[in-house]
Structure formats: structure tokens, C-alpha cells
């Protein structure tokens, strides 16, 4: 069953729907039980009902435990992706500081502009148009990083170890963004 509209609703509306369905099911089951008890269909059936109720509650506990575990692991994965991206950005910025002046200023200003585009507000992702617009801005800023890195690396012939470490750190920045987007989309 595909319910894409369910993912676009705010969480409190989803919770309200869940509790209304849950409590209405509980009430209907209770009323059916009262009717059956009045008709005299109790006794042995009540004991079997206790076993079924115990099994259902055990199953509910397992479902809640697995759901919580899954949610926590996804959250940890997202946090780790954000932390890896921050580390990659700071490493690239610090390594660019070791370059000679024209390339240092160029790469550091491009990294700073790129970093500013990575700060998303929560409302950005409520609308697919705003999210697409923001991601296009990030892609545009990313597209300026690699040509500047390439110009720095090949300016004076074969790149030196310092230039290669800057190239690697810029590559790590670009990879970290992709990893964060994959972790967020999971």
C-alpha cells in the first residue's frame, strides 16, 4: 500500500490519526466483548482470551522495541554524516590556508560560500520546490569548487604533495555532501 500523502502531513496529525484508530479499535473490541459476555459466551473463552491478550502485548512490545531501535540507528547515521561533512569542510579550509595567496583566497571564499548554502532550515524541505531550489544552489556552488581546485593543482606542472592533499580534501567535501544526502533520504 502506497501512502505518499501520509509523509507530507505534520507528525502531530499522523499521531492523532494513529491514536484515533487505536482507541476506536479498542472501544469496538470492548463493546463486542460486553455483548458476548451478556449472551453468556464467557468461561473457557475468557481464559483463551487472556493468552491471546498476553501474546498480543508481547508482540506489541517487540514491535515498539524494533521501531525504536531502527529510528535511533537512522538518527545516529544522519548525525554521523553531518559530522563527517563538517570535518571534511574544516579540513579542506585548513589545507587551503597552506596554499599561496591567490589560490588560498579563491578556495577559501568558495568553501565559505558553499558552506553557507549547506545550512538548511527545516521549512526548506516542507515544499519540494523549495528543496529543489536549495539543492540547485548547492550544486551550483559545488560546480565552482572543482575548477578552482584543478586550476590550483595544475598551475605549475605536476602537483606537489600539498596540492594533492588539498585536492583530496576538496574531493572529501564533495563526497561528504553526497553521503549526507543519502543518509537524510534513508
Amino acid at each position: 500500500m502506497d501512502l505518499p500523502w501520509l509523509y507530507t502531513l505534520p507528525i502531530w496529525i499522523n499521531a492523532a490519526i494513529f491514536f484515533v484508530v487505536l482507541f476506536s479499535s479498542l472501544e469496538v473490541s470492548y463493546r463486542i466483548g460486553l455483548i458476548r459476555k451478556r449472551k453468556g459466551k464467557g468461561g473457557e473463552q475468557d481464559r483463551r482470551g487472556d493468552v491471546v491478550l498476553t501474546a498480543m502485548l508481547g508482540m506489541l512490545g517487540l514491535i515498539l522495541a524494533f521501531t525504536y531501535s531502527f529510528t535511533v540507528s537512522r538518527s545516529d547515521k544522519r548525525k554521523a554524516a553531518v559530522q563527517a561533512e563538517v570535518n571534511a569542510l574544516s579540513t579542506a579550509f585548513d589545507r587551503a590556508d597552506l596554499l599561496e595567496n591567490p589560490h588560498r583566497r579563491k578556495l577559501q571564499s568558495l568553501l565559505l560560500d558553499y558552506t553557507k548554502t549547506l545550512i538548511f532550515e527545516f521549512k526548506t524541505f516542507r515544499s519540494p520546490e523549495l528543496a529543489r531550489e536549495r539543492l540547485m544552489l548547492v550544486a551550483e556552488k559545488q560546480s565552482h569548487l572543482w575548477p578552482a581546485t584543478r586550476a590550483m593543482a595544475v598551475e605549475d606542472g605536476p602537483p606537489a604533495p600539498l596540492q594533492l592533499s588539498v585536492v583530496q580534501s576538496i574531493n572529501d567535501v564533495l563526497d561528504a555532501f553526497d553521503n549526507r544526502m543519502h543518509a537524510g533520504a534513508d
Side-chain angles (χ1 to χ4, degrees):
M1 177 166 38
D2 193 21
L3 302 172
W5 58 270
L6 193 62
Y7 298 113
T8 60
L9 293 176
I11 190 82
W12 65 271
I13 292 178
N14 284 329
I17 291 170
F18 174 75
F19 283 114
V20 166
V21 169
L22 183 72
F23 286 121
S24 59
S25 306
L26 182 69
E27 185 64 27
V28 167
S29 300
Y30 177 73
R31 297 291 175 189
I32 290 172
L34 281 179
I35 292 170
R36 291 189 68 180
K37 192 172 188 177
R38 284 187 198 137
K39 289 183 178 180
K41 295 183 179 176
E44 181 66 32
Q45 296 237 341
D46 287 341
R47 280 186 240 122
R48 283 189 297 182
D50 289 343
V51 171
V52 171
L53 179 63
T54 303
M56 286 175 47
L57 288 175
M59 199 61 149
L60 177 64
L62 284 172
I63 290 171
L64 287 174
F66 286 129
T67 303
Y68 180 75
S69 172
F70 178 68
T71 304
V72 168
S73 69
R74 284 179 58 191
S75 176
D76 287 346
K77 185 177 176 183
R78 289 177 183 168
K79 286 178 188 176
V82 169
Q83 186 177 13
E85 186 174 25
V86 168
N87 288 341
L89 282 164
S90 67
T91 300
F93 195 83
D94 289 343
R95 287 184 184 173
D97 192 42
L98 299 172
L99 296 172
E100 295 299 322
N101 203 7
H103 295 297
R104 174 182 10 182
R105 271 189 275 140
K106 176 83 171 165
L107 272 177
Q108 284 184 330
S109 70
L110 286 173
L111 282 168
L112 188 61
D113 289 342
Y114 172 67
T115 304
K116 288 178 182 176
T117 63
L118 295 177
I119 301 170
F120 296 148
E121 294 180 21
F122 183 70
K123 65 181 178 181
T124 302
F125 289 103
R126 290 191 179 222
S127 159
E129 293 82 25
L130 287 174
R132 195 173 304 114
E133 180 181 311
R134 178 57 96 156
L135 291 175
M136 291 301 287
L137 179 63
V138 170
E140 186 222 331
K141 296 296 183 182
Q142 273 184 348
S143 70
H144 297 301
L145 279 173
W146 195 251
T149 304
R150 186 175 185 283
M152 173 273 308
V154 297
E155 181 181 79
D156 298 326
L162 174 62
Q163 282 85 3
L164 288 176
S165 73
V166 172
V167 169
Q168 181 61 44
S169 64
I170 297 295
N171 191 37
D172 290 344
V173 165
L174 299 175
D175 289 343
F177 176 76
D178 290 340
N179 290 338
R180 183 170 67 106
M181 288 296 108
H182 289 315
D186 179 23

